Amino acid sequence: VWPTWSAVLDAACRAPKKPAGLADLLRATRDHAPVMTGQLGASWVPESVRELAAERGASKAVVEARALVKAVGATGSTPGGES
């Protein structure tokens, strides 16, 4: 499931016009961040999400991207949950 989820997330974040529901997708992804980070380290987050989080503005998608990046940073960055 994850490769497909990641591809959809990446495509949506890279789109010049952000699709409806992107904030919801980012929020759902954040809900799974601790498990994903525990298994894969922080590198599982597509670069496009980090780029969206770094954008100026306060759209729902940007706010959720920032929250996801923050959640991943707070859960550690190495597989197995070690910091």
Side-chain angles (χ1 to χ4, degrees):
V1 172
W2 174 245
T4 302
W5 187 293
S6 178
V8 169
L9 184 61
D10 187 44
C13 288
R14 286 192 190 286
K17 184 173 190 273
K18 304 304 182 232
L22 177 56
D24 295 326
L25 179 62
L26 288 160
R27 186 177 311 109
T29 304
R30 181 170 37 103
D31 290 343
H32 299 284
V35 173
M36 295 300 298
T37 303
Q39 294 295 314
L40 303 173
S43 64
W44 65 268
V45 178
E47 186 59 32
S48 59
V49 174
R50 295 177 190 281
E51 291 168 1
L52 181 60
E55 287 185 10
R56 295 177 141 222
S59 70
K60 290 179 183 178
V62 170
V63 169
E64 288 298 334
R66 289 179 188 147
L68 173 56
V69 169
K70 183 177 179 180
V72 170
T75 60
S77 61
T78 59
E82 299 168 11
S83 295

